[in-house]
Amino acid sequence: MPVTSQPTDQPMGLVIPDEPALERLFRAQYSALLAEAKTKLPGAEVAAPRVVSKAFHLAWNDRARFRTQEELAVFLRSAIQHGAVRELSRRAGLHRADHAIAGTSDTGETPITHHDIVEMTLDEAWDRLKHTLHGGAPEAFRQRASAARHEAAEHMAALGKERSWKPLLIFGGLALVGVLALVLIMDRQSADVGIRGALAASNARTHETGYGQFVRITLDDSTIVTLAPQSKLTVPRDFNISLRAVGVEGAANFEVSQVQETPFQVRAGAAAILAHGTTFTVRRFPGDPAVIVHAREGKIELRVANARRELNAGMSYSVTDSGAVRVPSGEELNEASNWVDGNITIAGRTLRYVLPELRRWFGLDIKVVDNVLLERTVFVRAPIGSQREAINSVEKSAGLKFTYVGENMTFTDTISSRPAGRR
């Protein structure tokens, strides 16, 4: 079928610069996306072609944003998820209404049945989408839709004459509650997919810090982020436009002052932290066994899988990658959050653990001459920026001495007879 191109004022370099490009993408990806849509429409697979076509229609309307195939793929998957949610909720309402009506009948009539529908071919699907782009639909589709609406209207009118509507209203209300709950759950899952895709997209902005470096960042929604050393903040391109979420690797403190309908959201490990106007700290460095979240002011919401927990000021939680949630110990919390107040606190850790932390927070690259010393227990408490006090803490708590061997900073033992691992 010949394709009529339409003028476009879009700049060069777009994934969908014109209608022929849209058709090529549609034909190349239709089968795979149709299969994906069917998996999201259990019992309603026949609606998959319409859901896929709608996703491409939305992509066409927003085509100026797509400059990579990855961006388009993330958008289409998210649109298909949203479309499937809407379709399932619509069908659930109709299905329960049908059963409610049938249940009130004392005439022996059988419940409403639906005709089987033959799935559209690829050519039919594109033909429908093309006509939709131009403000209409093929005559065959319009006639089919009109006949279906007419049949449904007659059927419902006949039922209204024969049956009591009071039980229907009761069942309908209960069905509506169930449908709304289903929509809420699936919308949340769809939003989660969209956020993960946006954070993983190649066009997301990143802010990264090095050893001993602290950075203060003001986001587009006026949220202030203090990024700790060796940390990374990922900000989607559409932050504060279509979503309001960021990702964190390392440690960061967030001051969320602007209250919006959409809450500010931080993703770290298996945790999602939602906040309106509040301040909170998140820590999860590579190698950490869990994310630690601490509410400093106001109130935040912690989501792990489908579970929610509310944190008021002063409360904290630890979340592992498997989704296990617990209250962190005082030592864990101090290590995760005291840096915001200007102090680094590390209690009862081995020197093996502490040496990388000294490099992270103070820029100190210190070695040991005897590896047995790595098992010594260490306590550190020092103001940020004070290398001398950090070193003194290690020396006093572990019986070590700071010195230089050549050009290398080292710790040596001051009590060679003391067994490793004891203070």
Side-chain angles (χ1 to χ4, degrees):
M1 180 180 296
V3 178
T4 303
S5 63
Q6 66 181 41
T8 177
D9 57 358
Q10 303 300 331
M12 297 298 292
L14 299 183
V15 177
I16 315 177
D18 50 29
E19 192 175 303
L22 178 69
E23 181 179 5
R24 288 193 296 273
L25 289 166
F26 183 85
R27 291 182 177 277
Q29 301 182 32
Y30 180 77
S31 296
L33 292 176
L34 183 67
E36 180 176 344
K38 288 180 178 180
T39 65
K40 300 178 183 301
L41 289 161
E45 291 84 355
V46 70
R50 183 170 64 254
V51 170
V52 174
S53 293
K54 179 63 174 179
F56 274 95
H57 190 192
L58 293 172
W60 171 257
N61 291 338
D62 204 15
R63 59 191 179 279
R65 66 184 288 187
F66 306 118
R67 296 185 179 274
T68 68
Q69 292 285 349
E70 183 183 20
E71 292 174 0
L72 176 61
V74 169
F75 179 91
L76 289 172
R77 288 195 296 269
S78 179
I80 287 172
Q81 177 67 36
H82 279 289
V85 168
R86 289 192 297 269
E87 180 64 26
L88 287 175
S89 65
R90 182 183 71 84
R91 286 174 175 259
L94 292 175
H95 178 73
R96 295 191 184 190
D98 280 354
H99 279 279
I101 295 171
T104 64
S105 174
D106 56 2
T107 62
E109 295 181 25
T110 57
I112 302 170
T113 58
H114 299 280
H115 299 292
D116 292 332
I117 302 175
V118 178
E119 184 175 297
M120 285 187 288
T121 66
L122 173 58
D123 287 337
E124 288 176 332
W126 168 250
D127 192 43
R128 179 176 185 135
L129 175 59
K130 184 179 70 172
H131 281 79
T132 302
L133 299 181
H134 292 278
E139 184 61 29
F141 293 121
R142 288 200 298 269
Q143 291 177 355
R144 186 186 303 174
S146 177
R149 287 194 297 269
H150 181 69
E151 180 181 351
E154 290 183 341
H155 184 72
M156 294 304 292
L159 288 173
K161 294 177 181 178
E162 298 174 1
R163 297 169 179 169
S164 169
W165 284 96
K166 186 174 180 179
L168 172 61
L169 293 176
I170 295 173
F171 281 104
L174 294 175
L176 179 60
V177 172
V179 169
L180 290 176
L182 176 65
V183 169
L184 181 62
I185 292 172
M186 298 193 72
D187 271 350
R188 188 182 304 156
Q189 293 174 343
S190 178
D192 181 71
V193 170
I195 289 172
R196 284 190 279 112
L199 290 172
S202 60
N203 61 3
R205 304 190 306 275
T206 59
H207 304 268
E208 298 187 57
T209 54
Y211 298 116
Q213 181 183 17
F214 296 82
V215 173
R216 190 175 173 87
I217 303 160
T218 301
L219 302 178
D220 291 343
D221 68 344
S222 298
T223 294
I224 298 174
V225 184
T226 303
L227 200 59
Q230 273 192 293
S231 299
K232 177 181 177 181
L233 177 72
T234 302
V235 184
R237 189 191 67 173
D238 289 339
F239 178 84
N240 206 37
I241 299 174
S242 59
L243 51 80
R244 199 178 174 215
V246 299
V248 169
E249 299 173 30
N253 187 69
F254 298 89
E255 301 172 47
V256 186
S257 59
Q258 185 172 343
V259 178
Q260 299 183 15
E261 181 179 352
T262 301
F264 178 79
Q265 186 171 162
V266 174
R267 295 299 180 92
I273 305 101
L274 284 72
H276 288 281
T278 186
T279 302
F280 61 97
T281 304
V282 178
R283 168 172 167 146
R284 172 61 189 276
F285 286 102
D288 284 356
V291 179
I292 294 183
V293 181
H294 176 57
R296 306 180 74 86
E297 298 177 9
K299 183 184 300 183
I300 60 177
E301 179 185 328
L302 174 65
R303 292 182 183 176
V304 181
N306 291 324
R308 294 184 177 188
R309 284 177 169 81
E310 191 174 87
L311 286 76
N312 294 313
M315 294 179 62
S316 308
Y317 278 115
S318 169
V319 183
T320 67
D321 285 342
S322 65
V325 179
R326 65 175 176 84
V327 177
S329 68
E331 291 79 7
E332 290 172 323
L333 178 59
N334 289 337
E335 186 176 333
S337 64
N338 278 3
W339 65 270
V340 180
D341 300 317
N343 293 296
I344 301 303
T345 306
I346 306 173
R349 299 281 197 172
T350 64
L351 184 62
R352 184 186 304 277
Y353 176 90
V354 167
L355 290 180
E357 293 293 303
L358 292 178
R359 189 177 187 191
R360 170 179 293 142
W361 297 105
F362 298 97
L364 291 167
D365 187 11
I366 305 178
K367 313 294 184 182
V368 293
V369 176
D370 183 358
N371 286 339
V372 173
L373 301 178
L374 294 174
E375 303 310 316
R376 289 277 175 89
T377 300
V378 179
F379 292 78
V380 177
R381 181 175 176 82
I384 289 174
S386 179
Q387 295 180 335
R388 185 65 260 175
E389 290 196 41
I391 291 171
N392 286 343
S393 289
V394 175
E395 288 180 319
K396 292 177 181 178
S397 63
L400 300 174
K401 180 181 179 181
F402 174 78
T403 185
Y404 279 86
V405 175
E407 296 182 352
N408 296 320
M409 294 182 287
T410 63
F411 282 122
T412 59
D413 198 0
T414 60
I415 308 176
S416 58
S417 62
R418 180 166 59 182
R422 296 180 56 190
R423 295 195 299 116

